[in-house]
Amino acid sequence: MTSSHDPAVLLGPASDRIRSAQDREALQALERDLLGKSGPVGQILASIPTLPGEERRAAGQRANELKRALEEALQVRRGELEAAALEAERSGAGFDPTLPPAPLERGGLHPVTLVVRDLEDLFTSMGYTVLDGPEVELDHYNFEALNIPKDHPARDAQDTFYCDPEGQLVLRTHTSPVQVRAMEHIVREKLGPPFRAIVPGKVFRNEAVDASHEHTFHQMEGLVVGKDVSVGHLIGAMKTLLRGVFGRDIEIRLRPGYFPFVEPGFELDARCPFCAGGCRVCKQSTWIELLPCGMVHPNVLKAGGIDPEQWSGFAFGLGLSRLVMLRYGIDDVRHLLSGDLRFLEQF
Ligand code: PHE
């Protein structure tokens, strides 16, 4: 065996070169040299064909041994250089460990969520339960049980999206279907009547979309069923609702309104909370149309399994999207579901 192919002899000078590499680039160049064809490992491998048969195996082993030793030395030096680089960065100019970290990005609540939470607080404090219902609803609950049979013209005012060929499943056009679901649930679970509930949620209509019409928007249904519930109770509850929303007493008026599931039915207007004598929001009328409401129709009580001879109730359908727009001065309903961060980050 020639001494020039002895791994121990070859490793010495190679290790010295590795230890004195000053940066990562130099070390990389060295690695290419040492492990490449013309490096010491390559030399041993190249010599194998010239060796007598019985020495070849040992030469191969020496080449592997040397390769492993070189790789280890390279790895050690790489670690040293990295540690030194980090240390230099830490102690170097321009590094100030007392600087505060970059601020964490925090999400916020959607304006509809903010208003829903306020209203839930207000109504639960008056003994109402918060209920939920399906957004994909049966025709039965969305229309039939609300006294709106198949051929009723009131269906035209709430054109919707049908989800099946038979027309039995619809995207609900209002939160009112939960009136009947609520009654059935309350009766089945023997929780009442009497009971009070609100139902905030998303509703859907086949609309020509513009600044004040959206195919998806939010409503909050209210339903109170009890003994001798009257229009007086309805007015009282609505005044409390407005006080909660606007922080002071607001004058209201009732106009007749037609909805097949209430009798009598009303449109409730509020004295415009934003002006004294006419503004853009109330279109100079000083009144804003705020919510439809009325006394629950006996047929609807019956559909929910409640005897209209013994019980009566009122219901209201608060336009949540509209209320959110009023509260925050939003001029286009389409902002609400746009997902546009420039809009959302303002809340
Ligand atoms: N559900 C009706 C609508 O969306 C509103 C309403 C609710 C009317 C409750 C009366 C009582 O148009």
Side-chain angles (χ1 to χ4, degrees), residues 159-194:
D159 191 11
T160 188
F161 303 97
Y162 287 85
C163 302
D164 65 332
E166 291 77 39
Q168 288 310 303
L169 275 181
V170 302
L171 293 191
R172 67 177 180 191
T173 55
H174 49 179
T175 42
S176 299
V178 192
Q179 286 189 25
V180 180
R181 285 187 177 275
M183 292 181 212
E184 288 178 345
H185 171 77
I186 299 276
V187 169
R188 195 183 323 115
E189 301 296 327
K190 302 193 168 48
L191 299 168

PDB file of all heavy atoms in Angstrom, residues 159-194:
ATOM      1  N   ASP A 159     -89.566  36.049  -3.751  1.00  0.00           N
ATOM      2  CA  ASP A 159     -89.062  35.094  -4.729  1.00  0.00           C
ATOM      3  C   ASP A 159     -87.763  34.504  -4.185  1.00  0.00           C
ATOM      4  O   ASP A 159     -86.908  35.216  -3.674  1.00  0.00           O
ATOM      5  CB  ASP A 159     -88.801  35.815  -6.051  1.00  0.00           C
ATOM      6  CG  ASP A 159     -88.537  34.824  -7.165  1.00  0.00           C
ATOM      7  OD1 ASP A 159     -88.771  33.618  -6.951  1.00  0.00           O
ATOM      8  OD2 ASP A 159     -88.085  35.254  -8.235  1.00  0.00           O
ATOM      9  N   THR A 160     -87.637  33.203  -4.285  1.00  0.00           N
ATOM     10  CA  THR A 160     -86.481  32.584  -3.638  1.00  0.00           C
ATOM     11  C   THR A 160     -85.759  31.616  -4.549  1.00  0.00           C
ATOM     12  O   THR A 160     -86.035  31.530  -5.734  1.00  0.00           O
ATOM     13  CB  THR A 160     -86.911  31.866  -2.334  1.00  0.00           C
ATOM     14  OG1 THR A 160     -85.740  31.452  -1.660  1.00  0.00           O
ATOM     15  CG2 THR A 160     -87.786  30.652  -2.636  1.00  0.00           C
ATOM     16  N   PHE A 161     -84.800  30.913  -3.962  1.00  0.00           N
ATOM     17  CA  PHE A 161     -84.009  29.927  -4.684  1.00  0.00           C
ATOM     18  C   PHE A 161     -84.511  28.555  -4.271  1.00  0.00           C
ATOM     19  O   PHE A 161     -84.457  28.204  -3.098  1.00  0.00           O
ATOM     20  CB  PHE A 161     -82.530  30.087  -4.331  1.00  0.00           C
ATOM     21  CG  PHE A 161     -82.008  31.469  -4.622  1.00  0.00           C
ATOM     22  CD1 PHE A 161     -81.935  32.431  -3.626  1.00  0.00           C
ATOM     23  CD2 PHE A 161     -81.596  31.814  -5.901  1.00  0.00           C
ATOM     24  CE1 PHE A 161     -81.465  33.696  -3.894  1.00  0.00           C
ATOM     25  CE2 PHE A 161     -81.126  33.087  -6.187  1.00  0.00           C
ATOM     26  CZ  PHE A 161     -81.055  34.033  -5.186  1.00  0.00           C
ATOM     27  N   TYR A 162     -85.015  27.813  -5.239  1.00  0.00           N
ATOM     28  CA  TYR A 162     -85.488  26.450  -4.957  1.00  0.00           C
ATOM     29  C   TYR A 162     -84.316  25.479  -5.071  1.00  0.00           C
ATOM     30  O   TYR A 162     -83.490  25.595  -5.973  1.00  0.00           O
ATOM     31  CB  TYR A 162     -86.636  26.080  -5.897  1.00  0.00           C
ATOM     32  CG  TYR A 162     -87.907  26.804  -5.519  1.00  0.00           C
ATOM     33  CD1 TYR A 162     -88.156  28.092  -5.982  1.00  0.00           C
ATOM     34  CD2 TYR A 162     -88.820  26.231  -4.641  1.00  0.00           C
ATOM     35  CE1 TYR A 162     -89.303  28.778  -5.600  1.00  0.00           C
ATOM     36  CE2 TYR A 162     -89.968  26.906  -4.261  1.00  0.00           C
ATOM     37  CZ  TYR A 162     -90.207  28.172  -4.741  1.00  0.00           C
ATOM     38  OH  TYR A 162     -91.318  28.859  -4.353  1.00  0.00           O
ATOM     39  N   CYS A 163     -84.235  24.554  -4.136  1.00  0.00           N
ATOM     40  CA  CYS A 163     -83.042  23.695  -4.053  1.00  0.00           C
ATOM     41  C   CYS A 163     -83.276  22.289  -4.579  1.00  0.00           C
ATOM     42  O   CYS A 163     -82.350  21.488  -4.580  1.00  0.00           O
ATOM     43  CB  CYS A 163     -82.573  23.606  -2.604  1.00  0.00           C
ATOM     44  SG  CYS A 163     -82.191  25.194  -1.915  1.00  0.00           S
ATOM     45  N   ASP A 164     -84.488  21.955  -4.948  1.00  0.00           N
ATOM     46  CA  ASP A 164     -84.737  20.608  -5.462  1.00  0.00           C
ATOM     47  C   ASP A 164     -85.796  20.693  -6.552  1.00  0.00           C
ATOM     48  O   ASP A 164     -86.588  21.629  -6.589  1.00  0.00           O
ATOM     49  CB  ASP A 164     -85.189  19.687  -4.330  1.00  0.00           C
ATOM     50  CG  ASP A 164     -86.531  20.126  -3.766  1.00  0.00           C
ATOM     51  OD1 ASP A 164     -86.837  21.335  -3.838  1.00  0.00           O
ATOM     52  OD2 ASP A 164     -87.283  19.277  -3.279  1.00  0.00           O
ATOM     53  N   PRO A 165     -85.827  19.705  -7.445  1.00  0.00           N
ATOM     54  CA  PRO A 165     -86.762  19.740  -8.577  1.00  0.00           C
ATOM     55  C   PRO A 165     -88.222  19.747  -8.121  1.00  0.00           C
ATOM     56  O   PRO A 165     -89.083  20.316  -8.795  1.00  0.00           O
ATOM     57  CB  PRO A 165     -86.451  18.459  -9.354  1.00  0.00           C
ATOM     58  CG  PRO A 165     -85.198  17.903  -8.787  1.00  0.00           C
ATOM     59  CD  PRO A 165     -84.942  18.527  -7.471  1.00  0.00           C
ATOM     60  N   GLU A 166     -88.512  19.152  -6.964  1.00  0.00           N
ATOM     61  CA  GLU A 166     -89.907  19.095  -6.500  1.00  0.00           C
ATOM     62  C   GLU A 166     -90.359  20.422  -5.888  1.00  0.00           C
ATOM     63  O   GLU A 166     -91.537  20.613  -5.617  1.00  0.00           O
ATOM     64  CB  GLU A 166     -90.095  17.993  -5.443  1.00  0.00           C
ATOM     65  CG  GLU A 166     -89.958  16.574  -5.975  1.00  0.00           C
ATOM     66  CD  GLU A 166     -88.505  16.199  -6.198  1.00  0.00           C
ATOM     67  OE1 GLU A 166     -87.658  16.589  -5.370  1.00  0.00           O
ATOM     68  OE2 GLU A 166     -88.201  15.529  -7.211  1.00  0.00           O
ATOM     69  N   GLY A 167     -89.402  21.318  -5.622  1.00  0.00           N
ATOM     70  CA  GLY A 167     -89.771  22.608  -5.033  1.00  0.00           C
ATOM     71  C   GLY A 167     -90.147  22.494  -3.565  1.00  0.00           C
ATOM     72  O   GLY A 167     -90.876  23.326  -3.036  1.00  0.00           O
ATOM     73  N   GLN A 168     -89.664  21.469  -2.884  1.00  0.00           N
ATOM     74  CA  GLN A 168     -89.972  21.324  -1.457  1.00  0.00           C
ATOM     75  C   GLN A 168     -88.940  22.013  -0.567  1.00  0.00           C
ATOM     76  O   GLN A 168     -89.227  22.380   0.563  1.00  0.00           O
ATOM     77  CB  GLN A 168     -90.044  19.843  -1.074  1.00  0.00           C
ATOM     78  CG  GLN A 168     -91.260  19.121  -1.608  1.00  0.00           C
ATOM     79  CD  GLN A 168     -92.541  19.880  -1.299  1.00  0.00           C
ATOM     80  OE1 GLN A 168     -92.836  20.169  -0.139  1.00  0.00           O
ATOM     81  NE2 GLN A 168     -93.281  20.244  -2.339  1.00  0.00           N
ATOM     82  N   LEU A 169     -87.723  22.189  -1.094  1.00  0.00           N
ATOM     83  CA  LEU A 169     -86.642  22.796  -0.317  1.00  0.00           C
ATOM     84  C   LEU A 169     -86.323  24.171  -0.888  1.00  0.00           C
ATOM     85  O   LEU A 169     -86.051  24.303  -2.076  1.00  0.00           O
ATOM     86  CB  LEU A 169     -85.377  21.942  -0.433  1.00  0.00           C
ATOM     87  CG  LEU A 169     -85.207  20.772   0.505  1.00  0.00           C
ATOM     88  CD1 LEU A 169     -83.876  20.092   0.225  1.00  0.00           C
ATOM     89  CD2 LEU A 169     -85.250  21.234   1.964  1.00  0.00           C
ATOM     90  N   VAL A 170     -86.311  25.172  -0.011  1.00  0.00           N
ATOM     91  CA  VAL A 170     -85.986  26.524  -0.472  1.00  0.00           C
ATOM     92  C   VAL A 170     -84.913  27.125   0.432  1.00  0.00           C
ATOM     93  O   VAL A 170     -84.731  26.690   1.570  1.00  0.00           O
ATOM     94  CB  VAL A 170     -87.231  27.440  -0.426  1.00  0.00           C
ATOM     95  CG1 VAL A 170     -88.351  26.864  -1.289  1.00  0.00           C
ATOM     96  CG2 VAL A 170     -87.717  27.654   0.999  1.00  0.00           C
ATOM     97  N   LEU A 171     -84.178  28.105  -0.084  1.00  0.00           N
ATOM     98  CA  LEU A 171     -83.378  28.928   0.825  1.00  0.00           C
ATOM     99  C   LEU A 171     -84.391  29.842   1.505  1.00  0.00           C
ATOM    100  O   LEU A 171     -85.166  30.516   0.821  1.00  0.00           O
ATOM    101  CB  LEU A 171     -82.356  29.745   0.045  1.00  0.00           C
ATOM    102  CG  LEU A 171     -81.241  28.959  -0.639  1.00  0.00           C
ATOM    103  CD1 LEU A 171     -80.166  29.912  -1.141  1.00  0.00           C
ATOM    104  CD2 LEU A 171     -80.615  27.950   0.324  1.00  0.00           C
ATOM    105  N   ARG A 172     -84.398  29.866   2.832  1.00  0.00           N
ATOM    106  CA  ARG A 172     -85.472  30.599   3.510  1.00  0.00           C
ATOM    107  C   ARG A 172     -85.435  32.074   3.120  1.00  0.00           C
ATOM    108  O   ARG A 172     -84.355  32.664   2.993  1.00  0.00           O
ATOM    109  CB  ARG A 172     -85.361  30.425   5.023  1.00  0.00           C
ATOM    110  CG  ARG A 172     -84.135  31.063   5.634  1.00  0.00           C
ATOM    111  CD  ARG A 172     -84.153  30.909   7.149  1.00  0.00           C
ATOM    112  NE  ARG A 172     -82.967  31.518   7.742  1.00  0.00           N
ATOM    113  CZ  ARG A 172     -82.610  31.352   9.012  1.00  0.00           C
ATOM    114  NH1 ARG A 172     -83.343  30.595   9.817  1.00  0.00           N
ATOM    115  NH2 ARG A 172     -81.526  31.931   9.477  1.00  0.00           N
ATOM    116  N   THR A 173     -86.619  32.645   2.927  1.00  0.00           N
ATOM    117  CA  THR A 173     -86.699  34.039   2.483  1.00  0.00           C
ATOM    118  C   THR A 173     -86.827  34.994   3.659  1.00  0.00           C
ATOM    119  O   THR A 173     -86.763  36.202   3.489  1.00  0.00           O
ATOM    120  CB  THR A 173     -87.926  34.237   1.585  1.00  0.00           C
ATOM    121  OG1 THR A 173     -89.090  33.794   2.301  1.00  0.00           O
ATOM    122  CG2 THR A 173     -87.785  33.427   0.302  1.00  0.00           C
ATOM    123  N   HIS A 174     -87.050  34.433   4.839  1.00  0.00           N
ATOM    124  CA  HIS A 174     -87.174  35.231   6.059  1.00  0.00           C
ATOM    125  C   HIS A 174     -86.922  34.328   7.265  1.00  0.00           C
ATOM    126  O   HIS A 174     -86.790  33.107   7.102  1.00  0.00           O
ATOM    127  CB  HIS A 174     -88.535  35.933   6.150  1.00  0.00           C
ATOM    128  CG  HIS A 174     -89.731  35.035   5.889  1.00  0.00           C
ATOM    129  ND1 HIS A 174     -91.021  35.488   5.954  1.00  0.00           N
ATOM    130  CD2 HIS A 174     -89.823  33.716   5.570  1.00  0.00           C
ATOM    131  CE1 HIS A 174     -91.856  34.494   5.677  1.00  0.00           C
ATOM    132  NE2 HIS A 174     -91.153  33.416   5.436  1.00  0.00           N
ATOM    133  N   THR A 175     -86.813  34.929   8.453  1.00  0.00           N
ATOM    134  CA  THR A 175     -86.596  34.092   9.641  1.00  0.00           C
ATOM    135  C   THR A 175     -87.932  33.607  10.214  1.00  0.00           C
ATOM    136  O   THR A 175     -87.942  32.827  11.162  1.00  0.00           O
ATOM    137  CB  THR A 175     -85.808  34.869  10.715  1.00  0.00           C
ATOM    138  OG1 THR A 175     -86.297  36.209  10.797  1.00  0.00           O
ATOM    139  CG2 THR A 175     -84.331  34.896  10.378  1.00  0.00           C
ATOM    140  N   SER A 176     -89.053  34.034   9.608  1.00  0.00           N
ATOM    141  CA  SER A 176     -90.367  33.637  10.137  1.00  0.00           C
ATOM    142  C   SER A 176     -90.615  32.128  10.209  1.00  0.00           C
ATOM    143  O   SER A 176     -91.367  31.682  11.083  1.00  0.00           O
ATOM    144  CB  SER A 176     -91.482  34.324   9.337  1.00  0.00           C
ATOM    145  OG  SER A 176     -91.364  35.723   9.444  1.00  0.00           O
ATOM    146  N   PRO A 177     -90.033  31.293   9.297  1.00  0.00           N
ATOM    147  CA  PRO A 177     -90.279  29.849   9.458  1.00  0.00           C
ATOM    148  C   PRO A 177     -89.900  29.341  10.843  1.00  0.00           C
ATOM    149  O   PRO A 177     -90.471  28.352  11.325  1.00  0.00           O
ATOM    150  CB  PRO A 177     -89.419  29.211   8.365  1.00  0.00           C
ATOM    151  CG  PRO A 177     -88.570  30.285   7.783  1.00  0.00           C
ATOM    152  CD  PRO A 177     -89.277  31.567   8.066  1.00  0.00           C
ATOM    153  N   VAL A 178     -88.983  30.013  11.507  1.00  0.00           N
ATOM    154  CA  VAL A 178     -88.587  29.549  12.835  1.00  0.00           C
ATOM    155  C   VAL A 178     -89.686  29.830  13.865  1.00  0.00           C
ATOM    156  O   VAL A 178     -89.689  29.237  14.939  1.00  0.00           O
ATOM    157  CB  VAL A 178     -87.222  30.148  13.252  1.00  0.00           C
ATOM    158  CG1 VAL A 178     -86.683  29.450  14.493  1.00  0.00           C
ATOM    159  CG2 VAL A 178     -86.214  30.031  12.119  1.00  0.00           C
ATOM    160  N   GLN A 179     -90.659  30.687  13.507  1.00  0.00           N
ATOM    161  CA  GLN A 179     -91.814  30.856  14.409  1.00  0.00           C
ATOM    162  C   GLN A 179     -92.484  29.503  14.650  1.00  0.00           C
ATOM    163  O   GLN A 179     -92.696  29.098  15.790  1.00  0.00           O
ATOM    164  CB  GLN A 179     -92.854  31.796  13.779  1.00  0.00           C
ATOM    165  CG  GLN A 179     -92.495  33.270  13.776  1.00  0.00           C
ATOM    166  CD  GLN A 179     -93.685  34.125  13.338  1.00  0.00           C
ATOM    167  OE1 GLN A 179     -94.845  33.729  13.479  1.00  0.00           O
ATOM    168  NE2 GLN A 179     -93.395  35.309  12.811  1.00  0.00           N
ATOM    169  N   VAL A 180     -92.800  28.821  13.541  1.00  0.00           N
ATOM    170  CA  VAL A 180     -93.529  27.555  13.661  1.00  0.00           C
ATOM    171  C   VAL A 180     -92.622  26.461  14.247  1.00  0.00           C
ATOM    172  O   VAL A 180     -93.038  25.684  15.101  1.00  0.00           O
ATOM    173  CB  VAL A 180     -94.111  27.135  12.301  1.00  0.00           C
ATOM    174  CG1 VAL A 180     -94.861  25.812  12.420  1.00  0.00           C
ATOM    175  CG2 VAL A 180     -95.029  28.226  11.769  1.00  0.00           C
ATOM    176  N   ARG A 181     -91.365  26.448  13.778  1.00  0.00           N
ATOM    177  CA  ARG A 181     -90.422  25.471  14.353  1.00  0.00           C
ATOM    178  C   ARG A 181     -90.280  25.684  15.860  1.00  0.00           C
ATOM    179  O   ARG A 181     -90.210  24.727  16.636  1.00  0.00           O
ATOM    180  CB  ARG A 181     -89.051  25.607  13.693  1.00  0.00           C
ATOM    181  CG  ARG A 181     -88.999  25.021  12.293  1.00  0.00           C
ATOM    182  CD  ARG A 181     -87.569  25.047  11.764  1.00  0.00           C
ATOM    183  NE  ARG A 181     -87.470  24.442  10.458  1.00  0.00           N
ATOM    184  CZ  ARG A 181     -87.316  23.145  10.238  1.00  0.00           C
ATOM    185  NH1 ARG A 181     -87.234  22.296  11.260  1.00  0.00           N
ATOM    186  NH2 ARG A 181     -87.228  22.684   9.011  1.00  0.00           N
ATOM    187  N   ALA A 182     -90.231  26.959  16.282  1.00  0.00           N
ATOM    188  CA  ALA A 182     -90.082  27.264  17.705  1.00  0.00           C
ATOM    189  C   ALA A 182     -91.290  26.745  18.484  1.00  0.00           C
ATOM    190  O   ALA A 182     -91.145  26.096  19.520  1.00  0.00           O
ATOM    191  CB  ALA A 182     -89.921  28.770  17.906  1.00  0.00           C
ATOM    192  N   MET A 183     -92.493  27.022  17.957  1.00  0.00           N
ATOM    193  CA  MET A 183     -93.699  26.562  18.660  1.00  0.00           C
ATOM    194  C   MET A 183     -93.693  25.044  18.793  1.00  0.00           C
ATOM    195  O   MET A 183     -93.949  24.501  19.877  1.00  0.00           O
ATOM    196  CB  MET A 183     -94.954  27.001  17.895  1.00  0.00           C
ATOM    197  CG  MET A 183     -95.188  28.492  17.886  1.00  0.00           C
ATOM    198  SD  MET A 183     -96.708  28.853  16.979  1.00  0.00           S
ATOM    199  CE  MET A 183     -96.319  30.435  16.270  1.00  0.00           C
ATOM    200  N   GLU A 184     -93.393  24.355  17.685  1.00  0.00           N
ATOM    201  CA  GLU A 184     -93.364  22.880  17.734  1.00  0.00           C
ATOM    202  C   GLU A 184     -92.373  22.389  18.780  1.00  0.00           C
ATOM    203  O   GLU A 184     -92.656  21.469  19.548  1.00  0.00           O
ATOM    204  CB  GLU A 184     -92.969  22.313  16.360  1.00  0.00           C
ATOM    205  CG  GLU A 184     -94.065  22.459  15.310  1.00  0.00           C
ATOM    206  CD  GLU A 184     -93.640  21.929  13.940  1.00  0.00           C
ATOM    207  OE1 GLU A 184     -92.423  21.707  13.728  1.00  0.00           O
ATOM    208  OE2 GLU A 184     -94.498  21.748  13.087  1.00  0.00           O
ATOM    209  N   HIS A 185     -91.201  23.021  18.791  1.00  0.00           N
ATOM    210  CA  HIS A 185     -90.152  22.617  19.730  1.00  0.00           C
ATOM    211  C   HIS A 185     -90.600  22.843  21.177  1.00  0.00           C
ATOM    212  O   HIS A 185     -90.478  21.953  22.032  1.00  0.00           O
ATOM    213  CB  HIS A 185     -88.890  23.424  19.428  1.00  0.00           C
ATOM    214  CG  HIS A 185     -87.802  23.261  20.444  1.00  0.00           C
ATOM    215  ND1 HIS A 185     -86.989  22.144  20.503  1.00  0.00           N
ATOM    216  CD2 HIS A 185     -87.409  24.065  21.467  1.00  0.00           C
ATOM    217  CE1 HIS A 185     -86.134  22.277  21.509  1.00  0.00           C
ATOM    218  NE2 HIS A 185     -86.368  23.431  22.110  1.00  0.00           N
ATOM    219  N   ILE A 186     -91.135  24.040  21.432  1.00  0.00           N
ATOM    220  CA  ILE A 186     -91.560  24.392  22.792  1.00  0.00           C
ATOM    221  C   ILE A 186     -92.643  23.442  23.283  1.00  0.00           C
ATOM    222  O   ILE A 186     -92.618  22.972  24.432  1.00  0.00           O
ATOM    223  CB  ILE A 186     -92.085  25.860  22.810  1.00  0.00           C
ATOM    224  CG1 ILE A 186     -90.985  26.836  22.393  1.00  0.00           C
ATOM    225  CG2 ILE A 186     -92.735  26.193  24.144  1.00  0.00           C
ATOM    226  CD1 ILE A 186     -90.046  27.287  23.442  1.00  0.00           C
ATOM    227  N   VAL A 187     -93.598  23.122  22.399  1.00  0.00           N
ATOM    228  CA  VAL A 187     -94.685  22.225  22.782  1.00  0.00           C
ATOM    229  C   VAL A 187     -94.141  20.815  23.019  1.00  0.00           C
ATOM    230  O   VAL A 187     -94.441  20.170  24.025  1.00  0.00           O
ATOM    231  CB  VAL A 187     -95.789  22.218  21.691  1.00  0.00           C
ATOM    232  CG1 VAL A 187     -96.800  21.100  21.948  1.00  0.00           C
ATOM    233  CG2 VAL A 187     -96.490  23.570  21.634  1.00  0.00           C
ATOM    234  N   ARG A 188     -93.305  20.346  22.060  1.00  0.00           N
ATOM    235  CA  ARG A 188     -92.769  18.985  22.152  1.00  0.00           C
ATOM    236  C   ARG A 188     -91.967  18.802  23.437  1.00  0.00           C
ATOM    237  O   ARG A 188     -92.068  17.804  24.129  1.00  0.00           O
ATOM    238  CB  ARG A 188     -91.889  18.703  20.935  1.00  0.00           C
ATOM    239  CG  ARG A 188     -91.576  17.239  20.735  1.00  0.00           C
ATOM    240  CD  ARG A 188     -90.623  16.972  19.558  1.00  0.00           C
ATOM    241  NE  ARG A 188     -90.816  17.825  18.411  1.00  0.00           N
ATOM    242  CZ  ARG A 188     -89.901  18.709  17.975  1.00  0.00           C
ATOM    243  NH1 ARG A 188     -88.757  18.862  18.588  1.00  0.00           N
ATOM    244  NH2 ARG A 188     -90.146  19.451  16.912  1.00  0.00           N
ATOM    245  N   GLU A 189     -91.134  19.800  23.752  1.00  0.00           N
ATOM    246  CA  GLU A 189     -90.263  19.685  24.935  1.00  0.00           C
ATOM    247  C   GLU A 189     -90.954  20.142  26.218  1.00  0.00           C
ATOM    248  O   GLU A 189     -90.316  20.229  27.267  1.00  0.00           O
ATOM    249  CB  GLU A 189     -88.981  20.513  24.725  1.00  0.00           C
ATOM    250  CG  GLU A 189     -88.144  20.120  23.507  1.00  0.00           C
ATOM    251  CD  GLU A 189     -87.584  18.712  23.607  1.00  0.00           C
ATOM    252  OE1 GLU A 189     -87.274  18.268  24.729  1.00  0.00           O
ATOM    253  OE2 GLU A 189     -87.482  18.049  22.553  1.00  0.00           O
ATOM    254  N   LYS A 190     -92.242  20.491  26.102  1.00  0.00           N
ATOM    255  CA  LYS A 190     -93.042  20.956  27.256  1.00  0.00           C
ATOM    256  C   LYS A 190     -92.392  22.143  27.971  1.00  0.00           C
ATOM    257  O   LYS A 190     -92.337  22.222  29.196  1.00  0.00           O
ATOM    258  CB  LYS A 190     -93.249  19.804  28.251  1.00  0.00           C
ATOM    259  CG  LYS A 190     -93.941  18.594  27.623  1.00  0.00           C
ATOM    260  CD  LYS A 190     -94.418  17.629  28.697  1.00  0.00           C
ATOM    261  CE  LYS A 190     -95.355  16.564  28.161  1.00  0.00           C
ATOM    262  NZ  LYS A 190     -94.912  15.884  26.934  1.00  0.00           N
ATOM    263  N   LEU A 191     -91.837  23.077  27.175  1.00  0.00           N
ATOM    264  CA  LEU A 191     -91.200  24.270  27.763  1.00  0.00           C
ATOM    265  C   LEU A 191     -92.188  25.433  27.834  1.00  0.00           C
ATOM    266  O   LEU A 191     -91.899  26.493  28.368  1.00  0.00           O
ATOM    267  CB  LEU A 191     -89.991  24.683  26.899  1.00  0.00           C
ATOM    268  CG  LEU A 191     -88.875  23.643  26.773  1.00  0.00           C
ATOM    269  CD1 LEU A 191     -87.894  24.030  25.686  1.00  0.00           C
ATOM    270  CD2 LEU A 191     -88.164  23.498  28.110  1.00  0.00           C
ATOM    271  N   GLY A 192     -93.340  25.294  27.253  1.00  0.00           N
ATOM    272  CA  GLY A 192     -94.321  26.361  27.200  1.00  0.00           C
ATOM    273  C   GLY A 192     -95.462  25.918  26.310  1.00  0.00           C
ATOM    274  O   GLY A 192     -95.521  24.739  25.973  1.00  0.00           O
ATOM    275  N   PRO A 193     -96.330  26.820  25.823  1.00  0.00           N
ATOM    276  CA  PRO A 193     -96.342  28.244  26.103  1.00  0.00           C
ATOM    277  C   PRO A 193     -96.677  28.534  27.565  1.00  0.00           C
ATOM    278  O   PRO A 193     -97.246  27.658  28.202  1.00  0.00           O
ATOM    279  CB  PRO A 193     -97.453  28.755  25.160  1.00  0.00           C
ATOM    280  CG  PRO A 193     -98.312  27.566  24.845  1.00  0.00           C
ATOM    281  CD  PRO A 193     -97.440  26.375  24.969  1.00  0.00           C
ATOM    282  N   PRO A 194     -96.373  29.755  28.073  1.00  0.00           N
ATOM    283  CA  PRO A 194     -95.864  30.924  27.340  1.00  0.00           C
ATOM    284  C   PRO A 194     -94.365  30.831  27.038  1.00  0.00           C
ATOM    285  O   PRO A 194     -93.654  30.090  27.710  1.00  0.00           O
ATOM    286  CB  PRO A 194     -96.137  32.070  28.323  1.00  0.00           C
ATOM    287  CG  PRO A 194     -96.037  31.424  29.676  1.00  0.00           C
ATOM    288  CD  PRO A 194     -96.576  30.026  29.500  1.00  0.00           C
TER     289      PRO A 194
END
